[in-house]
mmCIF file of all heavy atoms in Angstrom:
data_model
loop_
_atom_site.group_PDB
_atom_site.id
_atom_site.type_symbol
_atom_site.label_atom_id
_atom_site.label_comp_id
_atom_site.label_asym_id
_atom_site.label_seq_id
_atom_site.Cartn_x
_atom_site.Cartn_y
_atom_site.Cartn_z
ATOM 1 N N HIS Y 1 91.784 108.019 109.831
ATOM 2 C CA HIS Y 1 90.422 107.725 110.266
ATOM 3 C C HIS Y 1 90.344 106.523 111.218
ATOM 4 O O HIS Y 1 89.269 105.968 111.423
ATOM 5 C CB HIS Y 1 89.478 107.520 109.074
ATOM 6 C CG HIS Y 1 89.229 108.788 108.305
ATOM 7 N ND1 HIS Y 1 90.021 109.191 107.249
ATOM 8 C CD2 HIS Y 1 88.300 109.755 108.453
ATOM 9 C CE1 HIS Y 1 89.583 110.339 106.774
ATOM 10 N NE2 HIS Y 1 88.542 110.716 107.490
ATOM 11 N N SER Y 2 91.467 106.126 111.765
ATOM 12 C CA SER Y 2 91.487 105.106 112.826
ATOM 13 C C SER Y 2 91.945 105.777 114.114
ATOM 14 O O SER Y 2 92.887 105.329 114.778
ATOM 15 C CB SER Y 2 92.430 103.957 112.446
ATOM 16 O OG SER Y 2 91.951 103.263 111.333
ATOM 17 N N ARG Y 3 91.271 106.852 114.452
ATOM 18 C CA ARG Y 3 91.741 107.687 115.561
ATOM 19 C C ARG Y 3 91.723 106.968 116.898
ATOM 20 O O ARG Y 3 92.657 107.087 117.697
ATOM 21 C CB ARG Y 3 90.891 108.967 115.644
ATOM 22 C CG ARG Y 3 91.369 109.947 116.709
ATOM 23 C CD ARG Y 3 90.750 111.319 116.531
ATOM 24 N NE ARG Y 3 91.133 111.875 115.236
ATOM 25 C CZ ARG Y 3 90.703 113.058 114.789
ATOM 26 N NH1 ARG Y 3 89.874 113.779 115.515
ATOM 27 N NH2 ARG Y 3 91.086 113.509 113.607
ATOM 28 N N ARG Y 4 90.656 106.207 117.153
ATOM 29 C CA ARG Y 4 90.600 105.499 118.437
ATOM 30 C C ARG Y 4 91.777 104.537 118.576
ATOM 31 O O ARG Y 4 92.368 104.420 119.654
ATOM 32 C CB ARG Y 4 89.283 104.732 118.571
ATOM 33 C CG ARG Y 4 88.069 105.609 118.822
ATOM 34 C CD ARG Y 4 86.851 104.755 119.157
ATOM 35 N NE ARG Y 4 85.666 105.560 119.397
ATOM 36 C CZ ARG Y 4 84.801 105.925 118.453
ATOM 37 N NH1 ARG Y 4 85.002 105.550 117.196
ATOM 38 N NH2 ARG Y 4 83.737 106.651 118.744
ATOM 39 N N LEU Y 5 92.101 103.839 117.505
ATOM 40 C CA LEU Y 5 93.209 102.887 117.551
ATOM 41 C C LEU Y 5 94.535 103.605 117.761
ATOM 42 O O LEU Y 5 95.338 103.203 118.606
ATOM 43 C CB LEU Y 5 93.254 102.074 116.261
ATOM 44 C CG LEU Y 5 94.448 101.134 116.100
ATOM 45 C CD1 LEU Y 5 94.476 100.097 117.218
ATOM 46 C CD2 LEU Y 5 94.421 100.456 114.737
ATOM 47 N N VAL Y 6 94.763 104.671 116.999
ATOM 48 C CA VAL Y 6 96.024 105.405 117.119
ATOM 49 C C VAL Y 6 96.161 106.012 118.519
ATOM 50 O O VAL Y 6 97.247 105.969 119.109
ATOM 51 C CB VAL Y 6 96.121 106.485 116.017
ATOM 52 C CG1 VAL Y 6 97.327 107.390 116.249
ATOM 53 C CG2 VAL Y 6 96.217 105.826 114.651
ATOM 54 N N GLU Y 7 95.074 106.525 119.049
ATOM 55 C CA GLU Y 7 95.122 107.059 120.414
ATOM 56 C C GLU Y 7 95.353 105.947 121.431
ATOM 57 O O GLU Y 7 96.119 106.124 122.390
ATOM 58 C CB GLU Y 7 93.820 107.808 120.719
ATOM 59 C CG GLU Y 7 93.682 109.115 119.962
ATOM 60 C CD GLU Y 7 92.351 109.802 120.210
ATOM 61 O OE1 GLU Y 7 91.432 109.162 120.778
ATOM 62 O OE2 GLU Y 7 92.217 110.991 119.849
ATOM 63 N N HIS Y 8 94.699 104.810 121.237
ATOM 64 C CA HIS Y 8 94.875 103.676 122.148
ATOM 65 C C HIS Y 8 96.322 103.190 122.151
ATOM 66 O O HIS Y 8 96.860 102.811 123.202
ATOM 67 C CB HIS Y 8 93.950 102.531 121.739
ATOM 68 C CG HIS Y 8 94.142 101.279 122.542
ATOM 69 N ND1 HIS Y 8 93.706 101.147 123.841
ATOM 70 C CD2 HIS Y 8 94.739 100.096 122.216
ATOM 71 C CE1 HIS Y 8 94.027 99.934 124.293
ATOM 72 N NE2 HIS Y 8 94.644 99.286 123.326
ATOM 73 N N LEU Y 9 96.960 103.236 121.007
ATOM 74 C CA LEU Y 9 98.356 102.807 120.899
ATOM 75 C C LEU Y 9 99.322 103.875 121.397
ATOM 76 O O LEU Y 9 100.525 103.611 121.509
ATOM 77 C CB LEU Y 9 98.688 102.459 119.446
ATOM 78 C CG LEU Y 9 97.944 101.265 118.843
ATOM 79 C CD1 LEU Y 9 98.252 101.148 117.353
ATOM 80 C CD2 LEU Y 9 98.314 99.973 119.568
ATOM 81 N N GLY Y 10 98.803 105.065 121.685
ATOM 82 C CA GLY Y 10 99.662 106.151 122.140
ATOM 83 C C GLY Y 10 100.530 106.730 121.044
ATOM 84 O O GLY Y 10 101.597 107.287 121.301
ATOM 85 N N GLU Y 11 100.056 106.624 119.788
ATOM 86 C CA GLU Y 11 100.846 107.076 118.654
ATOM 87 C C GLU Y 11 100.264 108.336 118.019
ATOM 88 O O GLU Y 11 100.566 108.656 116.868
ATOM 89 C CB GLU Y 11 100.925 105.963 117.596
ATOM 90 C CG GLU Y 11 101.548 104.669 118.069
ATOM 91 C CD GLU Y 11 103.044 104.789 118.332
ATOM 92 O OE1 GLU Y 11 103.611 105.876 118.112
ATOM 93 O OE2 GLU Y 11 103.646 103.779 118.750
ATOM 94 N N ASP Y 12 99.441 109.064 118.749
ATOM 95 C CA ASP Y 12 98.782 110.239 118.188
ATOM 96 C C ASP Y 12 99.603 111.516 118.319
ATOM 97 O O ASP Y 12 99.219 112.560 117.779
ATOM 98 C CB ASP Y 12 97.405 110.443 118.832
ATOM 99 C CG ASP Y 12 97.474 110.465 120.361
ATOM 100 O OD1 ASP Y 12 98.194 109.621 120.928
ATOM 101 O OD2 ASP Y 12 96.817 111.316 120.978
ATOM 102 N N GLU Y 13 100.727 111.466 119.016
ATOM 103 C CA GLU Y 13 101.567 112.652 119.161
ATOM 104 C C GLU Y 13 102.470 112.822 117.937
ATOM 105 O O GLU Y 13 102.692 111.890 117.166
ATOM 106 C CB GLU Y 13 102.424 112.540 120.428
ATOM 107 C CG GLU Y 13 101.620 112.413 121.720
ATOM 108 C CD GLU Y 13 100.805 113.651 122.032
ATOM 109 O OE1 GLU Y 13 101.250 114.756 121.645
ATOM 110 O OE2 GLU Y 13 99.720 113.537 122.648
ATOM 111 N N ASN Y 14 102.993 114.033 117.782
ATOM 112 C CA ASN Y 14 103.962 114.324 116.711
ATOM 113 C C ASN Y 14 103.467 113.887 115.331
ATOM 114 O O ASN Y 14 104.175 113.227 114.567
ATOM 115 C CB ASN Y 14 105.311 113.651 117.006
ATOM 116 C CG ASN Y 14 106.000 114.244 118.220
ATOM 117 O OD1 ASN Y 14 105.887 115.435 118.496
ATOM 118 N ND2 ASN Y 14 106.698 113.410 118.969
ATOM 119 N N GLY Y 15 102.238 114.262 115.025
ATOM 120 C CA GLY Y 15 101.721 114.024 113.684
ATOM 121 C C GLY Y 15 101.171 112.639 113.435
ATOM 122 O O GLY Y 15 100.875 112.286 112.288
ATOM 123 N N GLY Y 16 101.051 111.838 114.483
ATOM 124 C CA GLY Y 16 100.523 110.491 114.295
ATOM 125 C C GLY Y 16 101.544 109.577 113.641
ATOM 126 O O GLY Y 16 102.749 109.684 113.877
ATOM 127 N N VAL Y 17 101.070 108.670 112.785
ATOM 128 C CA VAL Y 17 101.952 107.677 112.165
ATOM 129 C C VAL Y 17 102.147 107.998 110.689
ATOM 130 O O VAL Y 17 101.336 108.687 110.072
ATOM 131 C CB VAL Y 17 101.387 106.249 112.323
ATOM 132 C CG1 VAL Y 17 101.171 105.929 113.790
ATOM 133 C CG2 VAL Y 17 100.091 106.074 111.539
ATOM 134 N N LEU Y 18 103.225 107.488 110.139
ATOM 135 C CA LEU Y 18 103.434 107.494 108.697
ATOM 136 C C LEU Y 18 102.838 106.216 108.127
ATOM 137 O O LEU Y 18 102.826 105.183 108.793
ATOM 138 C CB LEU Y 18 104.930 107.548 108.376
ATOM 139 C CG LEU Y 18 105.651 108.835 108.749
ATOM 140 C CD1 LEU Y 18 107.142 108.594 108.853
ATOM 141 C CD2 LEU Y 18 105.353 109.927 107.725
ATOM 142 N N ARG Y 19 102.366 106.280 106.884
ATOM 143 C CA ARG Y 19 101.820 105.066 106.279
ATOM 144 C C ARG Y 19 102.179 105.007 104.810
ATOM 145 O O ARG Y 19 102.021 105.981 104.083
ATOM 146 C CB ARG Y 19 100.305 104.983 106.447
ATOM 147 C CG ARG Y 19 99.758 103.601 106.064
ATOM 148 C CD ARG Y 19 98.251 103.508 106.282
ATOM 149 N NE ARG Y 19 97.510 104.232 105.250
ATOM 150 C CZ ARG Y 19 96.180 104.243 105.163
ATOM 151 N NH1 ARG Y 19 95.459 103.602 106.075
ATOM 152 N NH2 ARG Y 19 95.572 104.911 104.204
ATOM 153 N N VAL Y 20 102.662 103.843 104.412
ATOM 154 C CA VAL Y 20 102.957 103.570 103.011
ATOM 155 C C VAL Y 20 101.949 102.540 102.513
ATOM 156 O O VAL Y 20 101.785 101.489 103.128
ATOM 157 C CB VAL Y 20 104.387 103.023 102.852
ATOM 158 C CG1 VAL Y 20 104.632 102.585 101.415
ATOM 159 C CG2 VAL Y 20 105.402 104.070 103.268
ATOM 160 N N SER Y 21 101.285 102.847 101.410
ATOM 161 C CA SER Y 21 100.280 101.942 100.853
ATOM 162 C C SER Y 21 100.731 101.515 99.458
ATOM 163 O O SER Y 21 100.751 102.328 98.529
ATOM 164 C CB SER Y 21 98.916 102.630 100.776
ATOM 165 O OG SER Y 21 98.467 102.991 102.064
ATOM 166 N N MET Y 22 101.093 100.253 99.334
ATOM 167 C CA MET Y 22 101.565 99.711 98.057
ATOM 168 C C MET Y 22 100.544 98.714 97.512
ATOM 169 O O MET Y 22 99.728 98.181 98.255
ATOM 170 C CB MET Y 22 102.915 99.026 98.252
ATOM 171 C CG MET Y 22 103.999 99.948 98.791
ATOM 172 S SD MET Y 22 105.574 99.119 99.101
ATOM 173 C CE MET Y 22 105.165 98.105 100.548
ATOM 174 N N VAL Y 23 100.620 98.481 96.218
ATOM 175 C CA VAL Y 23 99.779 97.479 95.570
ATOM 176 C C VAL Y 23 100.638 96.708 94.573
ATOM 177 O O VAL Y 23 101.841 96.958 94.445
ATOM 178 C CB VAL Y 23 98.557 98.106 94.865
ATOM 179 C CG1 VAL Y 23 97.551 98.623 95.872
ATOM 180 C CG2 VAL Y 23 98.988 99.225 93.919
ATOM 181 N N HIS Y 24 100.002 95.788 93.845
ATOM 182 C CA HIS Y 24 100.750 94.844 93.027
ATOM 183 C C HIS Y 24 101.502 95.473 91.865
ATOM 184 O O HIS Y 24 102.455 94.884 91.358
ATOM 185 C CB HIS Y 24 99.801 93.767 92.490
ATOM 186 C CG HIS Y 24 98.704 94.316 91.628
ATOM 187 N ND1 HIS Y 24 97.595 94.946 92.168
ATOM 188 C CD2 HIS Y 24 98.538 94.344 90.274
ATOM 189 C CE1 HIS Y 24 96.798 95.324 91.185
ATOM 190 N NE2 HIS Y 24 97.342 94.985 90.032
ATOM 191 N N TYR Y 25 101.092 96.649 91.408
ATOM 192 C CA TYR Y 25 101.815 97.257 90.291
ATOM 193 C C TYR Y 25 102.969 98.133 90.755
ATOM 194 O O TYR Y 25 103.635 98.771 89.933
ATOM 195 C CB TYR Y 25 100.875 98.031 89.353
ATOM 196 C CG TYR Y 25 99.928 98.990 90.020
ATOM 197 C CD1 TYR Y 25 100.356 100.193 90.553
ATOM 198 C CD2 TYR Y 25 98.570 98.687 90.092
ATOM 199 C CE1 TYR Y 25 99.474 101.078 91.142
ATOM 200 C CE2 TYR Y 25 97.668 99.554 90.676
ATOM 201 C CZ TYR Y 25 98.128 100.750 91.199
ATOM 202 O OH TYR Y 25 97.251 101.620 91.796
ATOM 203 N N ASN Y 26 103.228 98.168 92.054
ATOM 204 C CA ASN Y 26 104.473 98.757 92.541
ATOM 205 C C ASN Y 26 105.610 97.759 92.359
ATOM 206 O O ASN Y 26 105.381 96.555 92.189
ATOM 207 C CB ASN Y 26 104.353 99.161 94.008
ATOM 208 C CG ASN Y 26 103.438 100.363 94.195
ATOM 209 O OD1 ASN Y 26 102.450 100.300 94.917
ATOM 210 N ND2 ASN Y 26 103.753 101.471 93.536
ATOM 211 N N THR Y 27 106.828 98.264 92.393
ATOM 212 C CA THR Y 27 107.995 97.434 92.105
ATOM 213 C C THR Y 27 108.990 97.468 93.257
ATOM 214 O O THR Y 27 108.992 98.419 94.058
ATOM 215 C CB THR Y 27 108.706 97.923 90.836
ATOM 216 O OG1 THR Y 27 109.239 99.243 91.092
ATOM 217 C CG2 THR Y 27 107.747 97.986 89.655
ATOM 218 N N PRO Y 28 109.874 96.456 93.366
ATOM 219 C CA PRO Y 28 110.934 96.499 94.381
ATOM 220 C C PRO Y 28 111.814 97.740 94.238
ATOM 221 O O PRO Y 28 112.279 98.293 95.244
ATOM 222 C CB PRO Y 28 111.723 95.213 94.106
ATOM 223 C CG PRO Y 28 110.731 94.295 93.476
ATOM 224 C CD PRO Y 28 109.856 95.170 92.637
ATOM 225 N N GLU Y 29 112.030 98.170 92.994
ATOM 226 C CA GLU Y 29 112.849 99.367 92.772
ATOM 227 C C GLU Y 29 112.195 100.599 93.386
ATOM 228 O O GLU Y 29 112.888 101.492 93.904
ATOM 229 C CB GLU Y 29 113.064 99.581 91.272
ATOM 230 C CG GLU Y 29 113.950 98.540 90.607
ATOM 231 C CD GLU Y 29 113.259 97.212 90.383
ATOM 232 O OE1 GLU Y 29 112.001 97.175 90.405
ATOM 233 O OE2 GLU Y 29 113.965 96.198 90.177
ATOM 234 N N GLN Y 30 110.883 100.665 93.355
ATOM 235 C CA GLN Y 30 110.181 101.787 93.977
ATOM 236 C C GLN Y 30 110.295 101.734 95.501
ATOM 237 O O GLN Y 30 110.378 102.775 96.154
ATOM 238 C CB GLN Y 30 108.715 101.790 93.544
ATOM 239 C CG GLN Y 30 108.521 102.198 92.096
ATOM 240 C CD GLN Y 30 107.077 102.111 91.646
ATOM 241 O OE1 GLN Y 30 106.326 101.233 92.071
ATOM 242 N NE2 GLN Y 30 106.671 103.009 90.768
ATOM 243 N N VAL Y 31 110.289 100.529 96.060
ATOM 244 C CA VAL Y 31 110.499 100.403 97.505
ATOM 245 C C VAL Y 31 111.887 100.909 97.868
ATOM 246 O O VAL Y 31 112.064 101.627 98.863
ATOM 247 C CB VAL Y 31 110.324 98.943 97.966
ATOM 248 C CG1 VAL Y 31 110.616 98.815 99.457
ATOM 249 C CG2 VAL Y 31 108.918 98.452 97.666
ATOM 250 N N ASP Y 32 112.888 100.559 97.071
ATOM 251 C CA ASP Y 32 114.251 101.030 97.334
ATOM 252 C C ASP Y 32 114.340 102.544 97.212
ATOM 253 O O ASP Y 32 115.039 103.200 97.999
ATOM 254 C CB ASP Y 32 115.226 100.368 96.361
ATOM 255 C CG ASP Y 32 115.368 98.870 96.609
ATOM 256 O OD1 ASP Y 32 114.994 98.410 97.704
ATOM 257 O OD2 ASP Y 32 115.838 98.166 95.692
ATOM 258 N N ARG Y 33 113.647 103.092 96.237
ATOM 259 C CA ARG Y 33 113.620 104.552 96.087
ATOM 260 C C ARG Y 33 112.981 105.201 97.315
ATOM 261 O O ARG Y 33 113.446 106.242 97.790
ATOM 262 C CB ARG Y 33 112.842 104.895 94.814
ATOM 263 C CG ARG Y 33 112.770 106.376 94.507
ATOM 264 C CD ARG Y 33 111.998 106.612 93.213
ATOM 265 N NE ARG Y 33 111.467 107.964 93.166
ATOM 266 C CZ ARG Y 33 110.377 108.309 92.505
ATOM 267 N NH1 ARG Y 33 109.691 107.391 91.848
ATOM 268 N NH2 ARG Y 33 109.964 109.556 92.499
#
């Protein structure tokens, strides 16, 4: 839902961007996984 920004950055091709959303109850081990 940040389409204008993604288009402005030229990152709208090939499925756009990947995004990982973490919070405090995630662990370093999960990042490694």
Side-chain angles (χ1 to χ4, degrees):
H1 291 89
S2 294
R3 184 165 299 178
R4 287 189 180 90
L5 174 61
V6 172
E7 289 177 347
H8 175 74
L9 295 173
E11 300 290 358
D12 53 317
E13 300 295 330
N14 293 326
V17 303
L18 293 160
R19 191 178 75 176
V20 173
S21 298
M22 301 177 289
V23 289
H24 61 283
Y25 49 73
N26 289 122
T27 65
E29 291 76 19
Q30 288 176 325
V31 177
D32 292 342
R33 182 179 158 208

